[in-house]
Amino acid sequence: MSKAKETHLWFEKGDDEIQIESYTKKLNDAILELNENVPDAVYIIDDEEPGFLRAAVKLKDITFMMLTPQSEEAKKAKSENGKRNSKNLKNQKCT
């Protein structure tokens, strides 16, 4: 059985950084890339265990987005809009 991919976030109100403990490869790669590009934005706390990363990231260098499920009406409206504007799609051959 595979290990659950967990991510833990914590920060103190008024602090300028958030600590992230993650087993999620995509998130870990993004944090390590940020560390390469902007070393002052990230402090790596622990990365010894394979697939695990714990780091402190400056709040100004990270964002979060909460996703809510779309209603059936919203899905239908987006689908209809996509059908109306299908000529805007990339890689579509022009005749």
Side-chain angles (χ1 to χ4, degrees), residues 43-55:
Y43 174 71
I44 304 297
I45 298 168
D46 183 11
D47 64 350
E48 298 298 318
E49 183 181 335
F52 172 78
L53 178 68
R54 183 171 179 194

Side-chain angles (χ1 to χ4, degrees), residues 7-13 15-22 45 52-57 59 64:
T7 301
H8 300 263
L9 310 166
W10 65 96
F11 63 95
E12 291 184 33
K13 185 175 179 179
D15 202 353
D16 68 338
E17 70 181 25
I18 185 166
Q19 289 196 22
I20 302 170
E21 193 172 88
S22 171
I45 298 168
F52 172 78
L53 178 68
R54 183 171 179 194
V57 181
L59 282 175
F64 296 94

Side-chain angles (χ1 to χ4, degrees), residues 19-38:
Q19 289 196 22
I20 302 170
E21 193 172 88
S22 171
Y23 285 95
T24 307
K25 181 174 179 13
K26 188 174 179 180
L27 176 59
N28 294 353
D29 290 345
I31 292 170
L32 291 172
E33 182 179 342
L34 178 62
N35 187 40
E36 284 182 24
N37 297 331
V38 189

Side-chain angles (χ1 to χ4, degrees), residues 69-80:
Q70 290 184 346
S71 67
E72 288 303 316
E73 295 81 22
K75 288 180 186 178
K76 185 176 179 182
K78 284 187 176 188
S79 174
E80 292 299 321

